[in-house]
Amino acid sequence: MGTLCDVPTLLRHLGYRVYITSHDAGEPPHVHVDLQGASAKFWLKPVRLAYTIGYSARELRAVERLVLEHETMFLRGWHDYFGT
């Protein structure tokens, strides 16, 4: 497992940065999605919003579509990183 400083980026797409953080190890699989000061956390399997800060409803729908499109890759990245 990585150190507390590790923030593995799983995807950069149209300005979005999708990543996981090492201090989330005890939680169910999820990703964080940031864009220009806005942030959201999405649980994976099934994809559902955990929280959001700064995204409009329209932007949030686009973020959710992005997470849904890449759910399998994000789950694989989570399990590879945390060794689960």
Side-chain angles (χ1 to χ4, degrees), residues 16-19 31-35 38-40 42 55 63 66-67:
Y16 293 106
R17 178 171 174 247
V18 182
Y19 61 95
V31 293
H32 301 269
V33 185
D34 292 355
L35 174 69
S39 185
F42 278 88
Y55 282 115
V63 174
L66 177 69
V67 174

Side-chain angles (χ1 to χ4, degrees), residues 35-79:
L35 174 69
Q36 300 174 350
S39 185
K41 176 179 175 177
F42 278 88
W43 302 113
L44 302 171
K45 197 130 180 130
V47 171
R48 64 192 186 286
L49 180 65
Y51 74 80
T52 184
I53 300 169
Y55 282 115
S56 69
R58 181 175 172 246
E59 293 168 327
L60 199 54
R61 286 190 298 274
V63 174
E64 184 175 25
R65 279 192 304 272
L66 177 69
V67 174
L68 283 166
E69 287 175 21
H70 299 281
E71 176 185 9
T72 300
M73 180 181 75
F74 297 155
L75 278 167
R76 185 174 35 239
W78 176 275
H79 293 299

